[in-house]
Amino acid sequence: QVPLVESGGGSAQAGGSLGLSCAASGFTYSDKCMGYFRQAPGKQREGVARIYTSDGSTYYADSVKGRFTISQDNAKNTVYLQMNSLKPEDTAMYYCAVIASWYDCYSGSWSSFLSQYNYWGQGTQVTVSS
């Protein structure tokens, strides 16, 4: 059973909106740091947004702050990423990921998050045209 299953994404014009969802299963959802990272062709992975599942606290990369919103539905063990005011530079494959062990979800660096996640989804493509 795949722990993280993603849906959503697709294509939008600049200034438009898209939404992603990530359904978790097979592990205890509470007390986890879950988030999204993205990777464009030829570029390194970039952290986007993350949420601490126990209290809903969130953390965003500067590049998406004010435009993207990460949220959750604890009853469904699902994390959502709402992306507004999209820009062509948001074009990438987006992955949902979770750190199974304890992690400072609010204060940890993006480099540490990207080096510590244990599970990740299959990825979903987001394409923004100008």
Side-chain angles (χ1 to χ4, degrees):
Q1 187 177 13
V2 179
L4 300 173
V5 178
E6 301 180 52
S7 60
S11 299
Q13 290 192 327
S17 299
L18 288 172
L20 307 179
S21 64
C22 175
S25 63
F27 61 90
T28 302
Y29 181 79
S30 64
D31 197 25
K32 297 293 187 299
C33 185
M34 289 188 65
Y36 281 92
F37 66 92
R38 64 189 181 187
Q39 189 164 24
K43 294 188 176 181
Q44 292 188 339
R45 292 172 302 163
E46 177 189 15
V48 175
R50 59 194 196 224
I51 186 167
Y52 181 53
T53 59
S54 289
D55 65 9
S57 58
T58 58
Y59 184 78
Y60 297 92
D62 289 342
S63 58
V64 306
K65 201 171 293 182
R67 300 188 297 121
F68 290 11
T69 301
I70 191 168
S71 62
Q72 64 177 349
D73 184 334
N74 295 65
K76 296 182 179 180
N77 289 358
T78 299
V79 170
Y80 304 94
L81 184 69
Q82 179 63 37
M83 303 178 290
N84 299 328
S85 301
L86 284 163
K87 303 176 180 179
E89 51 263 44
D90 293 321
T91 296
M93 187 72 81
Y94 283 69
Y95 297 89
C96 174
V98 62
I99 296 178
S101 56
W102 185 87
Y103 175 79
D104 188 344
C105 198
Y106 187 75
S107 302
S109 67
W110 276 115
S111 61
S112 65
F113 179 85
L114 292 174
S115 67
Q116 294 185 48
Y117 63 81
N118 305 97
Y119 303 112
W120 60 97
Q122 78 276 18
T124 185
Q125 179 68 38
V126 171
T127 302
V128 184
S129 58
S130 58

